[in-house]
Amino acid sequence: NAACLTLESKENELGAVIEPKTFNDALELGLIEGIFVFPLSYVLMKFGGWFGGTGFAQVATLFVVTFLVRSIILALTWQSSQSSQRMTLLQDEMNKINAKYGDAQDTASKNRKAQEMMDLYQKHDINPMKSMLVPFITLPIFVAFYGAVRQTMTIREGEIFGVELGMNLGDGVTALFEGGSAFPLILLIVMSGLQFVTMKLPQWLNKKKNPQPKYKKEQAKQNNQQNPMMNTNFMTYMMLAMIIVASWVLLVAMTIYWVSSSLFSVAQTTLFHFLPKPELEKKRVSFRG
């Protein structure tokens, strides 16, 4: 069935013979299955075989293939990713505009706020629509990984630290109270921490590069101005909570994919932050002046 993809015929634990599937077999199950899931599953099986076929080999495979796929996506969406990074660098200016208009609900204030945002984007050659391209492409890749991990027998049967990669993470964590391995709990903590770092890193890097003077912080407190970052932090914690809840029902192997993808995101954000941007930096100085 669709949940049993293998490169060669083999017997499962029930003695049933699982035959290899072809691209046409997968395509009959749907376009997503044929175009995304089957090729990715094939790559996972190939790399897993090259690495030795053990549980640790499957973990290494997930890391290598994740980095490979994310690198391809980055190469295809380089300009869009750069646009997203420029928006991050201008977060201070965007926060100032948000703080300027506060909770104003009248039409005139909304129009002025929208116009100032648009002027800011145009001044720094930013297309907000381009920044949406990366998440749009990343979503089907996540779905493909989910399908491939769930359906690839070598991944599902892999075992590391006494934990099957095909086990639900939540079941692995609860099994700890019955004498099970602590690896699922450690994996959940690591995944949650990396997700938090991924979401907060752009803000931390930008704040370190452009720290807000203390007198402005005190002035904002005296004027009872709402910190525009409070809403951002609230959304970050909400998203983190949703990710943790979602990971509870995912396979251990899928959580490992999430960890490797987060590591790539951290590396990508750091790379973009320190890439030379002389024109953008010049525009930022001009804007502040």
Side-chain angles (χ1 to χ4, degrees), residues 7 42-54 57-58 61 154:
L7 289 177
Y42 184 85
V43 171
L44 288 172
M45 288 185 285
K46 277 293 186 182
F47 272 87
W50 293 339
F51 292 161
T54 64
Q58 301 308 325
T61 295
T154 54

Side-chain angles (χ1 to χ4, degrees), residues 153-274:
M153 289 191 66
T154 54
I155 297 292
R156 292 173 60 94
E157 294 175 350
E159 185 174 311
I160 179 172
F161 298 119
V163 177
E164 293 184 357
L165 299 179
M167 172 189 293
N168 282 356
L169 182 66
D171 293 339
V173 173
T174 55
L176 175 62
F177 300 99
E178 300 176 359
S181 172
F183 178 70
L185 177 60
I186 296 174
L187 186 62
L188 176 63
I189 295 173
V190 171
M191 185 275 296
S192 303
L194 283 173
Q195 282 293 316
F196 180 76
V197 171
T198 299
M199 290 184 286
K200 298 290 289 185
L201 184 59
Q203 177 185 337
W204 292 340
L205 291 174
N206 195 41
K207 185 177 181 180
K208 184 177 181 180
K209 192 172 184 179
N210 302 280
Q212 186 180 16
K214 292 184 178 180
Y215 76 89
K216 287 190 175 183
K217 295 181 180 179
E218 295 297 330
Q219 186 179 18
K221 290 181 180 180
Q222 292 176 2
N223 296 334
N224 294 323
Q225 292 180 353
Q226 182 180 7
N227 186 353
M229 293 305 300
M230 290 181 62
N231 293 332
T232 303
N233 291 334
F234 176 76
M235 291 300 298
T236 297
Y237 295 130
M238 284 295 296
M239 290 179 61
L240 181 61
M242 292 173 62
I243 289 173
I244 294 175
V245 171
S247 67
W248 194 260
V249 297
L250 292 179
L251 303 183
V252 170
M254 198 61 193
T255 310
I256 294 175
Y257 157 76
W258 227 330
V259 168
S260 57
S261 184
S262 297
L263 287 173
F264 187 92
S265 296
V266 170
Q268 176 180 318
T269 300
T270 305
L271 171 65
F272 280 164
H273 181 78
F274 290 103

Side-chain angles (χ1 to χ4, degrees), residues 16-89:
V17 177
I18 308 300
E19 297 182 351
K21 282 189 170 56
T22 65
F23 172 74
N24 290 332
D25 293 333
L27 197 59
E28 289 179 358
L29 298 174
L31 288 176
I32 295 180
E33 189 82 16
I35 297 176
F36 293 104
V37 176
F38 180 80
L40 187 55
S41 178
Y42 184 85
V43 171
L44 288 172
M45 288 185 285
K46 277 293 186 182
F47 272 87
W50 293 339
F51 292 161
T54 64
F56 284 95
Q58 301 308 325
V59 172
T61 295
L62 287 170
F63 272 87
V64 170
V65 174
T66 299
F67 272 66
L68 178 62
V69 172
R70 288 292 304 271
S71 297
I72 294 174
I73 294 175
L74 178 60
L76 295 175
T77 61
W78 181 264
Q79 291 185 349
S80 300
S81 299
Q82 288 282 63
S83 180
S84 298
Q85 183 68 13
R86 287 199 295 268
M87 287 188 67
T88 302
L89 290 173

